[in-house]
Amino acid sequence: MEPIVGIVIAGLTLLLGLAIGYFISRSQTDRAQRNQRDKTEKFLQETREQARNIEIQARDNALKISQAAEGEITRLRSELNREDERLQKRRAELDSRVEKLEQREQAVNKHQSAVDKRANEIEKMHEQEMVELQRVAQMNVDEARTILLAEVEKDARNDMARIIRQIESEAREEGDKRARKLIADSIQRVATDQVAEFTTSLVPLPNEEMKGRIVGRNGRNIRAFEQAAGVDVIVDDTPEAVTISCFEPVRREVARRSLARLILDGRIHPAHIEKVLDEEQKAVDKVIVEAGEQAAFDAGVTGLHPEILHMMGRLKFRTSYGQNQLAHAVEVAKLSGILAAEIGASEDICRQAGFLHDLGKAMDHNQEGTHALLGAEFAKRYGVNPVVVNAIAGHHHEVEQESIEAIITESADAISGARPGARREDLEAYIKRIRTLEDMATAFKGVSQAYAIQAGREVRIIVRPEEIDDLEAANLARDIAKKIEETMQYPGQIRVTVIRETRATEYAK
């Protein structure tokens, strides 16, 4: 019995444990479901609150947008009203203007009628005058035209004869080519130390191929360089060198520096050539200023105006009768100071007068007058001592010398130029003839620039294209050639070339 009772008790205990476990599990499940339900209700409540807040905010934004739209509509309606008023006013003005134009048109029509009537009267008067002229001249229009054509034919025949003479001269030159070459070689051996130093500059080349780049395709580069610089570039058989020839020393120096820079840079084309020439012109101007200041320091002259020093610096590239004018000015200043000290005159005034005595030679190719008077006028303009001004003007006896300092200046100038071989009168006459050619060409209307090249055998003239057309360019060349024939004396012949060039420039931005 006891085992059975134990088994029953164990079974009851097991059933009781299962029942208790079931009730505990059920209780936990119910509690978890209640917690989940509470969380769900809380979440739903929060979601409803957020939705309500979003709805309220959306209503507020919609209200604001509506109010802003109404304000914009009001503003646009106001602007439309103002625009309508402006258009109404403009329409009224246009109506008034149209009415005035109609009145003016009527007045113009009346005036045109009067003009037509007057033109008819003038035409009748012209016919009467033609009849009267024919009666007085005792010839008709055809006869007058015949006479005019005869005169034109005469001028044309003169031009043809001149061309024939020119062709014959060229033929003789070709026939005498070898003889002229021998003569030129002889002159070169004698005159190289003097003439070549003052009229040509030698530019070294890194190799012979550079000559082809300087010349360019069909001579484009060398023509652009010669035209822009106003010099003559000689590309001959000289190994690894070209020669720049020009009577104007400053222009020649700018061209020499520019060509040397182009060779070093390697970019040789027309646009770059003009840019380099412009930059080197500024560099040479700076060199001129420094040369004037250094020369004044070497001569012991102080207190000169910067413009005078700049003008004196130009003499660094100027020669007269074979002498360098800036070195000559310093030499005369020192000689004047020494002479003044010996005889008891003012050393400062004498040095200043000696230094400035040839100041006019830096400008006499731009202005009319002798270099002595031009220099005196320039010095007076910039406050130089009147005694010095008189010494400058009187050192060639063009005005009366008023002081002992003027006489000393003249004596020092003569001493400086008296050394053997210091001066060459032929070179000065040559430069004067070349400058006369340029001045004569620039005096014509429409001429922008004029350069005398090829030792004065050619005048190259650049005209303003807006003033001179192609036909007038041909007439201008003919007129200048006639003027040269009538007013100058020269060996051989002079070629006149007129260049008319039109450029269009735009910038890509």
Side-chain angles (χ1 to χ4, degrees):
M1 287 298 286
E2 291 181 0
I4 296 172
V5 172
I7 292 170
V8 172
I9 293 172
L12 291 173
T13 302
L14 178 60
L15 290 173
L16 182 60
L18 291 173
I20 292 172
Y22 171 77
F23 284 116
I24 291 173
S25 175
R26 180 67 180 270
S27 175
Q28 290 178 349
T29 302
D30 292 341
R31 188 180 302 111
Q33 289 178 350
R34 284 196 300 272
N35 290 337
Q36 185 66 31
R37 191 181 301 110
D38 292 340
K39 290 180 180 180
T40 301
E41 291 178 355
K42 184 177 180 181
F43 177 75
L44 291 173
Q45 185 178 0
E46 290 177 353
T47 302
R48 293 190 190 96
E49 290 293 332
Q50 291 179 359
R52 190 178 298 107
N53 292 335
I54 292 172
E55 182 181 359
I56 293 172
Q57 186 176 3
R59 289 177 180 175
D60 291 341
N61 291 337
L63 180 60
K64 292 179 180 178
I65 292 172
S66 176
Q67 292 176 351
E70 291 178 356
E72 183 67 16
I73 290 171
T74 303
R75 185 183 64 80
L76 291 175
R77 187 178 293 111
S78 176
E79 290 182 357
L80 287 174
N81 291 334
R82 288 197 299 270
E83 185 67 18
D84 184 63
E85 291 176 358
R86 191 183 68 82
L87 289 175
Q88 293 291 342
K89 183 178 179 181
R90 182 65 175 171
R91 188 177 293 110
E93 291 177 354
L94 289 175
D95 292 340
S96 175
R97 185 174 297 177
V98 169
E99 183 179 354
K100 291 181 179 178
L101 287 175
E102 290 176 351
Q103 295 175 357
R104 185 175 296 177
E105 183 179 3
Q106 294 176 359
V108 169
N109 290 335
K110 294 180 180 179
H111 182 69
Q112 184 64 36
S113 299
V115 169
D116 293 339
K117 182 179 179 180
R118 183 61 177 169
N120 293 332
E121 294 177 356
I122 292 174
E123 183 66 24
K124 292 179 181 179
M125 293 174 63
H126 176 69
E127 293 177 356
Q128 295 175 359
E129 289 179 355
M130 289 296 296
V131 172
E132 183 64 19
L133 285 173
Q134 292 179 13
R135 185 187 66 80
V136 173
Q138 295 182 356
M139 67 175 67
N140 55 27
V141 176
D142 293 335
E143 293 174 345
R145 184 181 294 109
T146 301
I147 294 174
L148 180 60
L149 289 175
E151 292 294 330
V152 173
E153 181 181 1
K154 181 180 178 182
D155 291 341
R157 287 184 179 277
N158 291 335
D159 293 339
M160 184 173 62
R162 187 176 71 253
I163 293 173
I164 291 173
R165 289 196 305 271
Q166 177 180 350
I167 295 174
E168 291 175 351
S169 176
E170 290 176 355
R172 285 193 298 270
E173 286 187 10
E174 186 66 23
D176 296 337
K177 183 177 181 180
R178 181 172 177 79
R180 287 189 292 105
K181 184 177 184 303
L182 292 174
I183 294 172
D185 289 341
S186 301
I187 295 173
Q188 185 179 17
R189 291 191 185 96
V190 174
T192 296
D193 294 340
Q194 294 289 338
V195 179
E197 180 184 358
F198 302 128
T199 61
T200 62
S201 296
L202 195 68
V203 180
L205 303 178
N207 51 61
E208 285 296 310
E209 296 178 358
M210 186 59 67
K211 289 185 179 180
R213 299 181 63 182
I214 292 173
V215 175
R217 181 177 298 177
N218 298 325
R220 180 187 67 169
N221 294 341
I222 193 170
R223 285 198 304 270
F225 186 86
E226 290 179 341
Q227 177 178 331
V231 300
D232 185 28
V233 180
I234 303 172
V235 181
D236 52 18
D237 296 332
T238 305
E240 297 184 354
V242 295
T243 303
I244 296 177
S245 177
C246 179
F247 78 95
E248 173 58 46
V250 177
R251 192 192 306 164
R252 186 178 69 249
E253 176 66 13
V254 173
R256 184 193 66 79
R257 293 168 63 110
S258 300
L259 186 56
R261 179 175 168 185
L262 288 168
I263 292 170
L264 183 63
D265 184 83
R267 293 177 295 169
I268 305 177
H269 53 84
H272 192 56
I273 286 172
E274 293 184 0
K275 178 182 177 183
V276 171
L277 281 170
D278 183 61
E279 293 175 354
E280 290 302 323
Q281 179 65 57
K282 296 177 181 178
V284 170
D285 288 340
K286 184 178 180 181
V287 170
I288 287 173
V289 172
E290 294 175 352
E293 294 173 351
Q294 183 62 42
F297 175 79
D298 294 340
V301 177
T302 59
L304 294 178
H305 193 278
E307 285 296 327
I308 294 180
L309 293 177
H310 179 271
M311 193 62 68
M312 288 297 299
R314 291 179 58 88
L315 296 179
K316 174 182 175 66
F317 304 103
R318 171 70 194 268
T319 59
S320 178
Y321 300 101
Q323 282 185 307
N324 179 273
Q325 282 301 103
L326 191 58
H328 170 65
V330 174
E331 183 178 353
V332 172
K334 293 179 178 179
L335 288 171
S336 299
I338 294 171
L339 292 175
E342 289 295 330
I343 64 176
S346 173
E347 294 183 43
D348 292 338
I349 290 178
C350 287
R351 275 198 300 268
Q352 193 173 101
F355 183 66
L356 300 178
H357 78 285
D358 278 342
L359 175 63
K361 288 189 177 181
M363 64 187 80
D364 58 358
H365 62 285
N366 296 323
Q367 303 179 25
E368 294 183 359
T370 63
H371 74 275
L373 296 179
L374 285 173
E377 181 182 354
F378 190 83
K380 182 179 179 180
R381 188 186 312 161
Y382 289 100
V384 175
N385 190 310
V387 178
V388 176
V389 172
N390 175 256
I392 296 172
H395 77 279
H396 284 316
H397 295 277
E398 294 176 81
V399 299
E400 184 180 355
Q401 297 174 340
E402 300 175 354
S403 63
I404 187 64
E405 287 80 7
I407 299 174
I408 291 174
T409 301
E410 180 190 357
S411 302
D413 181 34
I415 293 171
S416 176
R419 57 185 177 85
R423 296 191 168 188
R424 294 176 62 102
E425 186 173 0
D426 293 341
L427 178 62
E428 189 73 10
Y430 157 74
I431 292 176
K432 184 176 181 181
R433 178 169 62 86
I434 296 298
R435 286 177 176 159
T436 302
L437 278 174
E438 290 190 351
D439 293 341
M440 185 181 299
T442 54
F444 282 80
K445 182 180 179 181
V447 175
S448 174
Q449 295 173 328
Y451 300 123
I453 59 176
Q454 296 285 354
R457 292 190 296 272
E458 179 180 355
V459 182
R460 189 167 296 167
I461 299 154
I462 302 173
V463 299
R464 288 183 282 271
E466 65 274 9
E467 298 182 14
I468 303 293
D469 58 20
D470 291 339
L471 182 59
E472 291 176 342
N475 293 333
L476 178 63
R478 178 182 175 185
D479 294 341
I480 293 177
K482 283 188 175 181
K483 183 71 174 294
I484 293 173
E485 290 176 356
E486 295 171 356
T487 59
M488 294 187 63
Q489 294 183 355
Y490 50 89
Q493 60 187 10
I494 297 176
R495 178 181 180 183
V496 179
T497 302
V498 175
I499 300 172
R500 180 179 181 268
E501 181 181 49
T502 302
R503 297 187 182 185
T505 304
E506 287 292 341
Y507 294 94
K509 300 180 180 179

